[in-house]
Amino acid sequence: MLTAEQIADAKQGFRYTHPGDVLHEHDDCIRMAYEWLDAQNVRATPNKKFRPLKHIIEKWGGRYVSQSDVEVAAAMHPRIRGKYPDFNLSARLVLPSDKRLEGIGEALSQGYRERLDPKTYAIREDG
């Protein structure tokens, strides 16, 4: 699990896509985005197929997640490359296991999970 110190270090001096519109409501949003990204299969180059990643992540995590949260989580992840939303993610998205949300206090706290569409995902993570 990402620590508050690791997250603070990552946010320090980060070059956001929209520097005038940076929003981080809670470190748990970055943790949820990181866990979602961690479950994905990656490719060698950025995937140019547009996907509303922040919306997909918040529906899985059950809470609002900002684009800023996703950008920081991606920058912290050792396998993720590219700029939002063109990361090196496989087009076949993986529905992460709910076990990834354990210990993230803000997960499933805002009702976004009700909008989760399983058809968004090609693969379901075991666990």
Side-chain angles (χ1 to χ4, degrees):
M1 178 91 48
L2 300 175
T3 67
E5 184 178 5
Q6 289 171 313
I7 292 170
D9 288 347
K11 288 192 274 187
Q12 187 71 26
F14 185 79
R15 298 182 72 177
Y16 294 92
T17 303
H18 302 290
D21 194 24
V22 174
L23 174 65
H24 295 292
E25 287 187 355
H26 197 284
D27 283 353
D28 279 352
C29 300
I30 294 171
R31 290 182 182 102
M32 287 186 295
Y34 186 95
E35 289 297 329
W36 187 91
L37 290 166
D38 191 59
Q40 303 309 306
N41 294 317
V42 296
R43 41 187 276 154
T45 59
N47 187 347
K48 297 293 185 180
K49 180 177 181 181
F50 174 76
R51 299 234 186 195
L53 292 179
K54 77 168 238 58
H55 298 296
I56 293 170
I57 293 168
E58 63 193 11
K59 289 173 187 173
W60 170 72
R63 188 201 193 287
Y64 175 80
V65 173
S66 70
Q67 178 177 322
S68 305
D69 295 327
V70 178
E71 288 180 316
V72 170
M76 295 179 75
H77 200 286
R79 293 185 300 118
I80 305 300
R81 303 281 179 261
K83 297 271 186 201
Y84 186 93
D86 299 324
F87 298 125
N88 62 328
L89 304 178
S90 168
R92 295 174 43 86
L93 296 180
V94 176
L95 177 60
S97 166
D98 284 349
K99 287 186 178 183
R100 290 179 173 274
L101 297 173
E102 291 175 4
I104 301 176
E106 290 291 310
L108 306 174
S109 66
Q110 295 181 346
Y112 282 70
R113 188 60 170 266
E114 297 164 8
R115 302 179 211 157
L116 178 72
D117 182 3
K119 289 181 255 164
T120 301
Y121 298 93
I123 303 164
R124 180 181 291 267
E125 183 180 43
D126 292 333

